Amino acid sequence: MTKIHRVIPAILALSLALPSASSMAASEETGRVEVATEVLSKIMEIPESAIPPALLANAEGIAVIPGVIKVGFVVGGQYGRGVLVVRGKGGAWSNPVFITLMSGSVGWQIGAESTDFVIVFKTPRSIEGIVKGQYTLGAEAAAAAGPVGRSVKASTDIELKAEIYSYSRSRGLFAGVSLEGSSMQIDDKSNAAYYEKGEIHPSGILSGKDVKTPAGAEKLKKTLDKYAPAAAK
């Protein structure tokens, strides 16, 4: 056997052993779903400082963006990648759609920190805006810092009239926070990697018609069913 004939099988064996680019990407997105599930569970484990069940019961959508990086030196900004789920017919939660969150600010600031964000959408209108393209929180729908605790009323909006409520968790502390002016958009590349489809529209993911539910997504949906069951009609 010539050297070339010995080398070719070795190269083929090595290529089969190495993960493909698509599988590596998919594993990254899988990890993101797992972290989002963990963030939601950690927040809800302490009822006294968790998102009020009444707010979650009436939520039309929930976005979880773990590990948002905030950096600044005079001009600052935030960037993070997470997932969005919406409530479907019968109150069931959808498969996750991958999203990015970005914001900028100007002022005297320095340093960097990582923060988890949870955003609760009370109406379908805001979700539809995100699915259609880039969406700015507070620009088209009222956004407010979310109330915390089982029986606590919103201090910023006593009758919960805002369409969007946002929360942050940093260094173990959890509280409502305003994210007005932050932009949210669909992460098409991550959606394609996670669901192993070259081109897929967010509506096909949310409806469940165009994709199968990965195991990690199933765990996220079960966590949402536990902490955010649909309100009784």
Side-chain angles (χ1 to χ4, degrees):
M1 181 181 292
T2 64
K3 287 185 178 180
I4 189 67
H5 287 150
R6 288 195 297 270
V7 170
I8 290 175
I11 293 174
L12 289 173
L14 181 60
S15 65
L16 289 172
L18 292 172
S20 65
S22 62
S23 65
M24 289 175 68
S27 66
E28 179 185 336
E29 317 314 325
T30 298
R32 203 181 307 167
V33 173
E34 290 174 353
V35 174
T37 304
E38 182 181 349
V39 165
L40 193 61
S41 296
K42 290 291 183 183
I43 286 171
M44 298 306 296
E45 280 175 1
I46 307 174
E48 291 75 17
S49 61
I51 302 172
L55 180 57
L56 290 176
N58 290 286
E60 292 292 334
I62 297 174
V64 184
I65 306 101
V68 174
I69 300 298
K70 179 180 181 180
V71 296
F73 184 78
V74 183
V75 176
Q78 294 184 133
Y79 177 80
R81 298 188 294 173
V83 296
L84 168 71
V85 291
V86 305
R87 204 184 290 279
K89 294 180 179 178
W93 289 104
S94 71
N95 288 317
V97 165
F98 290 87
I99 56 173
T100 60
L101 178 74
M102 292 175 285
S103 66
S105 60
V106 177
W108 290 107
Q109 51 194 312
I110 187 169
E113 65 176 336
S114 176
T115 304
D116 302 323
F117 286 108
V118 177
I119 304 170
V120 180
F121 300 90
K122 286 185 61 186
T123 68
R125 183 174 68 158
S126 302
I127 298 165
E128 291 167 1
I130 297 169
V131 171
K132 289 178 181 177
Q134 184 170 309
Y135 185 87
T136 302
L137 301 178
E140 299 176 46
V148 297
R150 280 181 173 174
S151 57
V152 176
K153 296 289 185 181
S155 58
T156 55
D157 188 359
I158 207 75
E159 296 181 9
L160 296 176
K161 290 181 179 179
E163 292 188 37
I164 304 168
Y165 288 93
S166 49
Y167 298 85
S168 70
R169 185 182 75 129
S170 181
R171 298 177 184 175
L173 298 176
F174 179 69
V177 63
S178 176
L179 283 176
E180 283 200 2
S182 299
S183 66
M184 188 176 292
Q185 62 187 52
I186 300 297
D187 185 348
D188 291 312
K189 185 177 179 180
S190 293
N191 286 327
Y194 188 64
Y195 293 104
E196 299 182 343
K197 286 200 170 189
E199 292 184 11
I200 182 168
H201 194 272
S203 60
I205 298 173
L206 297 175
S207 67
K209 294 179 180 179
D210 297 341
V211 297
K212 294 181 179 178
T213 303
E218 196 64 56
K219 185 177 179 181
L220 174 61
K221 290 163 74 172
K222 287 181 179 178
T223 300
L224 287 161
D225 286 339
K226 177 180 179 180
Y227 294 115
K233 301 297 182 182

